Amino acid sequence: MDNARGEGVMKLKTLPPSLREKHRYIAIKIISESPVEYSDLENAIWNTMLDFLGEYGVAKTDFWIIKERWVKNDQTCVVRCNHLSVQDVLASLGLVTRLGDSRIAVKILKISGTLKGLNKK
Amino acid sequence: MYYDMHVHSAFSEGESSLEEIATQAKMLGYSGICFAEYFKGKQKMLELKEEIAKVSEKARIKIFLGFEARNSNELKRLVALRREYDVLLVRGYDTKLNRLAVETPEVDILTHPEYERKDSGLNHVLVKEAAKNNVSIEINFRNILINSKNSRSAVLSHITHNVMLCKKFKAPVIICSGAISHWQLRDPKIMISFAKLVGLDLHEAKLSLSEAPKRIINQIDERKSRKWIMPGVKEL
């Protein structure tokens, strides 16, 4: 892979497990009056998180919404944070009340340390 | 086993029917809920009881009937009828009413003592009384949900202050949604995380949604038995 200047881009070596951030993946289900779109959901969650926790607070949670795990038919999604801030993220998810015209509530399906673990019963 | 002990239906100030609320609560994972309605006479109470029994069977969830007293006269009437319903709540906000609530052993829950106030509505004297008379102090989730920006931060700070006092004087704390619509009900895990956010440990937060309501529910059966005379007095 070359960058704009034509130099080869060096890929960072993967961190050893002990130095990696300890993630928690939270599977959520959106209960709403009418089916919601992913883009609306993403905006609503990010805005609520930034309002409630602030920019600094969100930075500390290492928060991310995993787009690949959005299932439109089931209205389920997976969000990620680090192991220390699960409660903060859950609280923020509880404050999402509206997506456009439809009122929503978030149901927490499962919390796991790996994405694979979310599929286990 | 999680319970939500403070939900309003369309009977009083709510927007949703009993059935909508019961179904949503069941789906979110609650084992039981308590409708906290305003008292509108004995006849209406009997009608409400019948309706609740029907809905409870249909939605397969335990439902309790509670009444929320809004002033001292209402509280007096409700205390006199204490055997007829399950849970007695007092709508906190007025200093005198807060005081009266924590001094009355018949009361189960003092709801949002910090509601529409510039202070937290409780002090060390009131919390000591609450601990003595076993009156639970409520963390009201709707109060946090409907406010935003600076008013929400004020509410959170008042609740945190109250929780600190309750922990210090060992007064029971309970977390309720206080929902007036079934869209204001939240997942039990989210409620626990809120309880943790306002100063409880994770374990205490879990107890405030499970053991604290359970204690109130156990008292219901005790009160309905013939041996019960008044709080602290029963036939042996």
Side-chain angles (χ1 to χ4, degrees), chain B residues 217-231:
Chain B
I217 292 163
N218 289 341
Q219 280 174 2
I220 296 172
D221 299 331
E222 207 176 289
R223 201 178 295 119
K224 281 187 178 159
S225 77
R226 285 192 167 182
K227 289 178 177 169
W228 188 86
I229 299 164
M230 59 184 280

Side-chain angles (χ1 to χ4, degrees), chain A residues 49-93:
Chain A
M49 290 278 295
L50 287 167
D51 273 354
F52 187 59
L53 300 174
E55 289 165 356
Y56 179 59
V58 176
K60 283 202 288 189
T61 63
D62 189 30
F63 183 74
W64 198 249
I65 307 174
I66 297 165
K67 193 178 177 181
E68 291 75 34
R69 297 296 289 257
W70 166 247
V71 183
K72 201 180 172 185
N73 296 338
D74 299 346
Q75 300 269 297
T76 56
C77 192
V78 175
V79 298
R80 187 196 75 190
C81 60
N82 63 25
H83 72 301
L84 296 172
S85 54
V86 176
Q87 303 302 328
D88 299 359
V89 171
L90 289 185
S92 318
L93 289 175

Side-chain angles (χ1 to χ4, degrees), chain B residues 47-61:
Chain B
E47 284 170 22
L48 192 62
K49 258 186 183 175
E50 270 176 33
E51 207 179 326
I52 280 180
K54 268 185 221 162
V55 173
S56 172
E57 206 169 297
K58 206 172 173 190
R60 282 180 290 143
I61 181 169

Side-chain angles (χ1 to χ4, degrees), chain A residues 33 87 91 94 96 107-108, chain B residues 27 149 183 186-187 193-194:
Chain A
E33 288 171 313
Q87 303 302 328
V96 185
K107 185 173 162 60
I108 312 295
Chain B
M27 188 176 49
K149 308 281 174 184
W183 291 110
R186 287 291 179 268
D187 194 284
S193 65
F194 261 99

Side-chain angles (χ1 to χ4, degrees), chain B residues 33-174:
Chain B
I33 48 170
C34 170
F35 286 107
E37 309 294 4
Y38 298 146
F39 188 65
K40 294 175 180 171
K42 229 175 163 181
Q43 186 56 37
K44 289 255 182 189
M45 181 167 86
L46 294 175
E47 284 170 22
L48 192 62
K49 258 186 183 175
E50 270 176 33
E51 207 179 326
I52 280 180
K54 268 185 221 162
V55 173
S56 172
E57 206 169 297
K58 206 172 173 190
R60 282 180 290 143
I61 181 169
K62 273 187 195 165
I63 303 181
F64 305 98
L65 172 63
F67 283 104
E68 192 177 21
R70 287 169 291 175
N71 51 49
S72 52
N73 290 338
E74 243 179 53
L75 181 58
K76 244 185 227 169
R77 281 184 72 187
L78 285 168
V79 167
L81 290 170
R82 191 64 189 90
R83 265 193 164 162
E84 317 262 322
Y85 56 91
D86 300 332
V87 182
L88 175 56
L89 303 99
V90 176
R91 185 188 163 91
Y93 70 96
D94 178 50
T95 317
K96 275 187 183 166
L97 194 58
N98 283 357
R99 172 100 200 193
L100 190 62
V102 294
E103 284 175 345
T104 317
E106 281 90 351
V107 175
D108 289 315
I109 303 171
L110 170 63
T111 62
H112 45 64
E114 75 291 338
Y115 188 60
E116 287 181 352
R117 288 178 66 97
K118 285 188 176 162
D119 57 16
S120 73
L122 289 180
N123 61 10
H124 58 292
V125 183
L126 268 70
V127 176
K128 268 185 204 170
E129 281 293 316
K132 199 172 103 191
N133 294 319
N134 233 340
V135 178
S136 303
I137 306 296
E138 186 205 30
I139 302 171
N140 189 284
F141 177 70
R142 180 169 67 101
N143 212 1
I144 303 168
L145 187 69
I146 57 170
N147 286 304
S148 62
K149 308 281 174 184
N150 47 2
S151 43
R152 182 183 279 166
S153 71
V155 168
L156 278 169
S157 115
H158 292 156
I159 295 178
T160 311
H161 184 248
N162 287 343
V163 168
M164 181 272 288
L165 285 174
C166 289
K167 276 177 85 170
K168 167 105 181 142
F169 295 105
K170 297 196 173 64
V173 183
I174 185 166

